[in-house]
Each structure stands twice: as C-alpha cells, then as structure tokens.
Amino acid sequence: MRRIDKTVNKIRLEYIETHILRIKTYVLKDPIETLPQDHIKWRRYLLSSIFTSLYICAILNSSLNSTLKLGH
C-alpha cells in the first residue's frame, strides 16, 4: 500500500510542477530559462515571510505576557 501512495504522490507532484511550468510560460510569458532565478527569489521570499511571522509572534507573545503579569 505504501508503494502505491508514494507513486500517487509522485504523480501529483509531477502534475503540479508541470501545471506551474505551463502557467509560467503561457500566461506570464516567462521563458523557461529563468526558472533557477525564480526558485532563488521564491526561496528568499518564503524565508523572509517565515522570519517576519516568527518575529511578530514573538513580539505579540512578549506583549501578552507583560499584559497578563500587570493584571495580576
């Protein structure tokens, strides 16, 4: 059963990659040669989004903790 699940997941991933590539080339009129640059750009965007979210959560957490301590 696991082998079937892995095969299905691989097919899904290939379909998604193919679909994204077609959107990129036909809708956005972006050449395939720019894919490596796009991967770098999106990786940076994703990492900066994660760190920004973590920073905001840390600030909210410390603010909430100080507010709760003042209330008691």
Side-chain angles (χ1 to χ4, degrees), residues 16-30:
I16 291 170
E17 288 174 348
T18 303
H19 190 66
I20 289 172
L21 181 62
R22 288 184 178 161
I23 289 173
K24 179 177 174 51
T25 55
Y26 295 111
V27 175
L28 300 176
K29 306 287 189 229
D30 212 8

Side-chain angles (χ1 to χ4, degrees), residues 10 13 15 20 36 45 55:
K10 184 179 178 183
L13 183 61
Y15 174 77
I20 289 172
Y45 173 75
Y55 182 72

